[in-house]
Amino acid sequence: MTDMIPRLFGTSGIRGKIGSEITLNLITDVGMAAATYVGGKGRKAVIGYDTRTSNKMVENAIIAGILQCGCDVIRLGMVPTPLVGYAAMKLNADIGIMITASHNPSQYNGIKLWNPKGMAYTQDQERTIEKIVHEKSFSKVSWEHIGDIKDNSSIISGYMDDLLNNVDIKGGLKVVVDCANGAGSFVSPIVLRKAGCEVLTLNSQPDGFFPGRMPEPSEANLSELMKVVKATGADLGIAHDGDADRMVAIDDEGKMADFDKLLALVSSKIGGKIVTTVDASFCVDKCMKESGGEVVRTKVGDVHVAEAIVECNASFGGEPSGTWLHPDFCMCPDGILSALKVIEIVEKYGPLSKLLNEIPSYPTVRDKIECENIQKTLIMEKVKEELPDYFEDVNDVNFIDGVRISMKDGSWVLIRPSGTESYIRITLEGRTVEIAQSIRNKSREFIEGIL
């Protein structure tokens, strides 16, 4: 029955262009649905937002919906996403709501929902919200039971203190932090300074137009950060996305840390059982095996990683994109805590460039092809039917998330639709650069042939 209900949630919340895909009517309906879901009268929601120009408008719309169903609201103001998850847990809220489009451009906005444990809503919970919105089955209250609004900014200092208590950093490293003019602009530099680091900042003045760089922390967008790290002799650089639930690192040589190698490094130092996604490199498995740990793989998306962490009682989980979860702190992805963890490792074990060079390299390619959302289902049906026969020496076919083809030599390719943008994503790993390039070309040829 729920298969007939339109999807609102992607791999990381509801997200789209303001005015067309994300309308104020939709936002108000989501607010009413969220309040209805948690029980309405007597319940409370914590709400934060990033720096986007549409955020206060969206906040007002979602609060209007929440109040209509009798739920109280605690406004946190402009804060990073991980602080919303933390606040939901610490303030005993029934739901956490973050208004953000994460790494998407300025014209986008969206909503992420968190449960009282600071964990992203599961797929089943998201489908329930979608069902309430679709059926308009809101539990509205009469005028005398409308919810109340309070502000709470003091939770920020508690969050920073708890972050610092979660790591053992003596201090002294020079760190350049680039916050993308996003929600981490205040908190991240302050936390790093409190940890004893000498901090230089880039793009750390909040601005929803993202004038310094686009909020996606990709190599193309971080050229300035890489130059500054090298020019100033910094020990490393840290870059966040728009809402600071992600972190990527620049090593001491001014080079962007390989996503998979960085995940493998941190995973091996934390140890135990860790969770990662189907698109992560084999180097994660190799490093965990050497350290006596175990790897569990799941679908792409921090929601799936969080569910798997709980299910198998893992010590850590993360995606190669830099979205990492630290379950001993909070079940919300936290780019600021991830930065502290990397700093702690560099302080204890040596330069980041040296640590990453010790991890085996397998040429990895991440590519994407533009594809309208309405085309994705048809294209992926074709991929499932035809891709396994398109490659030679296929050893395994996995449908856990999209289609992943593994070859006998250990190379693999994953084709899946983006859950947040109008793309078909291609992720692959080859035993040599030539093999990786060949797989990429063949995969693009296959998808473009369908399109």
Side-chain angles (χ1 to χ4, degrees):
M1 186 68 178
T2 56
D3 290 341
M4 303 299 293
I5 297 171
R7 293 272 181 183
L8 296 175
F9 290 86
T11 53
S12 187
I14 300 170
R15 202 178 299 181
K17 291 182 178 178
I18 282 289
S20 55
E21 297 163 310
I22 301 294
T23 65
L24 295 186
N25 286 338
L26 173 63
I27 294 298
T28 303
D29 284 353
V30 171
M32 288 192 287
T36 299
Y37 177 72
V38 299
K41 183 64 179 173
R43 306 297 181 181
K44 62 182 176 183
V46 295
I47 299 180
Y49 52 79
D50 68 16
T51 59
R52 292 168 193 275
T53 58
S54 58
N55 272 337
K56 290 185 180 179
M57 178 179 73
V58 174
E59 183 193 40
N60 286 332
I62 200 165
I63 287 177
I66 292 168
L67 298 180
Q68 284 186 72
C69 292
C71 191
D72 295 330
V73 169
I74 300 174
R75 294 187 300 196
L76 304 176
M78 195 276 286
V79 295
T81 285
L83 206 152
V84 172
Y86 172 89
M89 180 177 65
K90 289 292 184 178
L91 298 177
N92 298 312
D94 298 283
I95 187 170
I97 300 173
M98 180 65 183
I99 299 166
T100 181
S102 189
H103 63 273
N104 288 64
S106 304
Q107 64 268 34
Y108 285 76
N109 214 330
I111 298 168
K112 294 182 180 180
L113 303 179
W114 310 95
N115 71 20
K117 294 182 180 178
M119 176 177 163
Y121 264 33
T122 65
Q123 293 178 90
D124 289 342
Q125 289 175 310
E126 290 175 345
R127 288 306 276 160
T128 302
I129 297 292
E130 288 168 342
K131 184 173 186 290
I132 296 171
V133 170
H134 179 69
E135 296 176 349
K136 306 291 185 183
S137 53
F138 309 121
S139 300
K140 295 183 182 180
V141 299
S142 57
W143 64 269
E144 69 269 29
H145 297 300
I146 290 172
D148 192 18
I149 303 175
K150 294 181 180 178
D151 294 321
N152 186 328
S153 59
S154 62
I155 190 71
I156 298 175
S157 60
Y159 167 71
M160 292 193 290
D161 290 341
D162 283 352
L163 282 178
L164 295 170
N165 289 332
N166 198 262
V167 292
D168 180 20
I169 297 175
K170 295 179 175 60
L173 294 185
K174 181 187 284 189
V175 181
V176 185
V177 59
D178 181 341
C179 296
N181 303 114
S185 295
F186 292 148
V187 177
S188 189
I190 292 173
V191 167
L192 299 187
R193 289 190 178 105
K194 283 178 173 286
C197 298
E198 179 186 345
V199 179
L200 304 177
T201 60
L202 288 177
N203 306 315
S204 292
Q205 68 282 10
D207 191 325
F209 290 97
F210 305 117
R213 67 166 171 86
M214 295 303 290
E216 169 73 16
S218 63
E219 187 167 6
N221 292 334
L222 298 179
S223 58
E224 183 182 10
L225 175 60
M226 290 186 277
K227 291 175 183 176
V228 172
V229 168
K230 190 169 184 179
T232 60
D235 294 287
L236 72 159
I238 297 295
H240 296 301
D241 58 342
D243 63 333
D245 65 347
R246 288 171 60 189
M247 182 280 310
V248 301
I250 308 300
D251 71 18
D252 48 293
E253 295 178 351
K255 298 176 182 175
M256 188 167 181
D258 180 276
F259 289 165
D260 295 275
K261 283 189 173 186
L262 191 64
L263 177 63
L265 172 65
V266 175
S267 297
S268 64
K269 297 305 181 186
I270 291 175
K273 185 182 291 185
I274 71 103
V275 175
T276 192
T277 49
V278 291
D279 62 338
S281 168
F282 179 71
C283 70
V284 178
D285 303 77
K286 185 170 177 58
C287 287
M288 288 303 294
K289 185 176 180 180
E290 291 174 355
S291 65
E294 181 183 348
V295 178
V296 176
R297 288 183 183 268
T298 188
K299 292 182 178 181
V300 174
D302 58 87
V303 174
H304 305 298
V305 174
E307 289 177 330
I309 287 173
V310 172
E311 184 178 331
C312 64
N313 193 29
S315 56
F316 173 66
E319 301 182 90
S321 64
T323 308
W324 299 350
L325 290 90
H326 309 268
D328 59 338
F329 181 76
C330 180
M331 286 302 296
C332 179
D334 195 323
I336 301 171
L337 179 53
S338 297
L340 290 170
K341 292 287 186 181
V342 172
I343 290 168
E344 182 181 35
I345 289 170
V346 170
E347 187 178 90
K348 287 183 179 179
Y349 299 101
L352 185 57
S353 59
K354 175 178 177 293
L355 295 173
L356 294 175
N357 286 337
E358 292 170 354
I359 296 173
S361 292
Y362 302 102
T364 302
V365 176
R366 302 182 193 279
D367 200 357
K368 58 188 180 184
I369 298 175
E370 286 190 13
C371 171
E372 295 298 325
N373 290 333
I374 58 173
Q375 294 179 291
K376 288 178 180 177
T377 300
L378 273 175
I379 288 174
M380 288 310 300
E381 285 176 2
K382 284 279 191 182
V383 171
K384 287 180 181 179
E385 290 173 9
E386 301 175 14
L387 187 67
D389 297 326
Y390 201 72
F391 286 92
E392 299 176 356
D393 299 322
V394 173
N395 187 51
D396 181 63
V397 181
N398 188 313
F399 298 112
I400 190 172
D401 187 7
V403 181
R404 174 170 163 149
I405 305 294
S406 299
M407 270 64 84
K408 290 178 181 177
D409 69 347
S411 303
W412 57 267
V413 59
L414 170 69
I415 296 180
R416 55 178 292 275
S418 170
T420 58
E421 298 174 281
S422 300
Y423 295 114
I424 295 291
R425 297 194 182 278
I426 302 171
T427 307
L428 62 93
E429 190 170 66
R431 287 309 182 194
T432 66
V433 172
E434 291 75 19
I435 291 173
Q437 193 60 40
S438 174
I439 294 172
R440 174 190 178 275
N441 293 342
K442 202 165 185 178
S443 299
R444 285 194 65 95
E445 178 185 85
F446 176 78
I447 298 297
E448 288 168 351
I450 298 174
L451 285 168

